[in-house]
Structure formats: structure tokens, C-alpha cells
Amino acid sequence: VQAWDQEIRQQQEQIEELYDRQDPVEQTDMTQVYTYIVCEQNGVDYEMVFALIEQESRCRWDAEGDNGTSIGLMQVSEKWHMQRMEELGAYDLKNPYQNVLVGVNYLSEIQNDLRGTVPDEDLPYYTLAVYNYGKQGAKANLWDQGVVKYTYNTKIMDRAQQLKEEKKKAEEGRG
């Protein structure tokens, strides 16, 4: 496992070095490819993550929310994710690769914790609710009131579906 972790960190460093040398358009393309790979490795839906990034930061790597406590593409808070950041070797949340790594890892953990306890078709909605509110907050503010789908998670899932449809059309156009 340690050899695998070291190999992943080396690959991440190589990608970051390339990123620093690219123009902004190439950086965005590289970030999307990296995000796709991290999603695949963690079993998290790429289109959902991309839609979440659009919602959370408008795809701005340097975005700050919640009075500066939520940082980067996925609006990760150091306060809640320091241990995760340390475990992943991700210390700079304004670095888009490190931010995505932490955010997708968190989504994967949420998904895995919820799997089997909620209906499969609602799993993404529950996952996004926990990402947005935290588990206690989602329970108190949504689930205890009988709410699964609300503006935040529905908007993200609608956009994810739109992205999937666009991808399908693009693939059909190539074939």
C-alpha cells in the first residue's frame, strides 16, 4: 500500500509540474482529465463532481467561500478535512489537483458510508446533502423533515445528467 501511495504522489507531483508550465486553457483541460481519473479511482461519478465544482466554485481554483474557510474548486474546508489532507499528502487547497483529490476522497467516503442504507437511486442526492451540510446537518435539516432532494443536490444532479447527455452526443458524433 505504501508503494502505491508513493507512486500516486509521484504522479501527482509530475502532473503539478506540467500544470505550472501550461497556459490557462491547457491547465483547465489537465484538471478535467485529472478529475476524471481521481473519480474513476474512487468510484465517484465524474459528471456529478464536475457539476458540483461548477456549483461550488464556478470552476475557479482560487475561489473562497464561507468567509475564506472553504477553498478551491470543491470548496474544501481545512477545519473539517485536515486529517484527510494529511493522509493524502494534500496541503494546498488552492492547488486544483490537491483540492480535487481531497474533495473526491470525501465524496467517496460519504458514498461508501451511505451505500446500502438508502435507495440506490437516491444515493447521489444523499451524498451531496452530506457534502453540503455534513451528516448531522443533513439529518437535522433535511432527512428528519422527509427531504431527500432539495435545490442544491437537484441542481447538481440535473447538471450532471445534462453533461452525460452532451458526452453521449459527442461520442455518437465521433462514431
Side-chain angles (χ1 to χ4, degrees), residues 61-117:
W61 61 269
D62 62 345
E64 292 186 12
D66 301 322
N67 294 319
T69 61
S70 296
I71 309 282
L73 291 171
M74 296 186 72
Q75 290 295 281
V76 176
S77 174
E78 223 175 78
K79 176 182 178 180
W80 304 113
H81 298 286
M82 183 53 77
Q83 182 178 348
R84 178 183 317 279
M85 291 168 61
E86 289 174 2
E87 289 170 3
L88 295 170
Y91 300 99
D92 181 3
L93 292 174
K94 285 192 178 177
N95 176 305
Y97 299 109
Q98 294 181 29
N99 189 280
V100 164
L101 183 64
V102 173
V104 171
N105 179 270
Y106 181 45
L107 285 168
S108 177
E109 179 183 291
I110 296 167
Q111 236 176 217
N112 292 337
D113 287 348
L114 291 171
R115 189 170 275 118
T117 67

Side-chain angles (χ1 to χ4, degrees), residues 107-120 122-131 135 138 143:
L107 285 168
S108 177
E109 179 183 291
I110 296 167
Q111 236 176 217
N112 292 337
D113 287 348
L114 291 171
R115 189 170 275 118
T117 67
V118 300
D120 287 345
D122 289 335
L123 181 60
Y125 294 95
Y126 279 92
T127 300
L128 290 167
V130 173
Y131 190 89
K135 193 164 188 175
W143 307 335

Side-chain angles (χ1 to χ4, degrees), residues 97-171:
Y97 299 109
Q98 294 181 29
N99 189 280
V100 164
L101 183 64
V102 173
V104 171
N105 179 270
Y106 181 45
L107 285 168
S108 177
E109 179 183 291
I110 296 167
Q111 236 176 217
N112 292 337
D113 287 348
L114 291 171
R115 189 170 275 118
T117 67
V118 300
D120 287 345
E121 66 272 10
D122 289 335
L123 181 60
Y125 294 95
Y126 279 92
T127 300
L128 290 167
V130 173
Y131 190 89
N132 184 231
Y133 273 102
K135 193 164 188 175
Q136 305 290 45
K139 184 178 181 324
N141 295 298
L142 300 170
W143 307 335
D144 285 352
Q145 281 32 270
V147 176
V148 173
K149 298 177 183 180
Y150 65 110
T151 305
Y152 175 82
N153 62 11
T154 301
K155 185 174 182 180
I156 291 171
M157 291 309 297
D158 287 350
R159 176 64 177 140
Q161 185 58 41
Q162 181 184 16
L163 290 168
K164 288 176 186 187
E165 290 167 9
E166 289 174 12
K167 179 181 171 186
K168 184 178 178 184
K169 284 181 187 176
E171 288 172 351

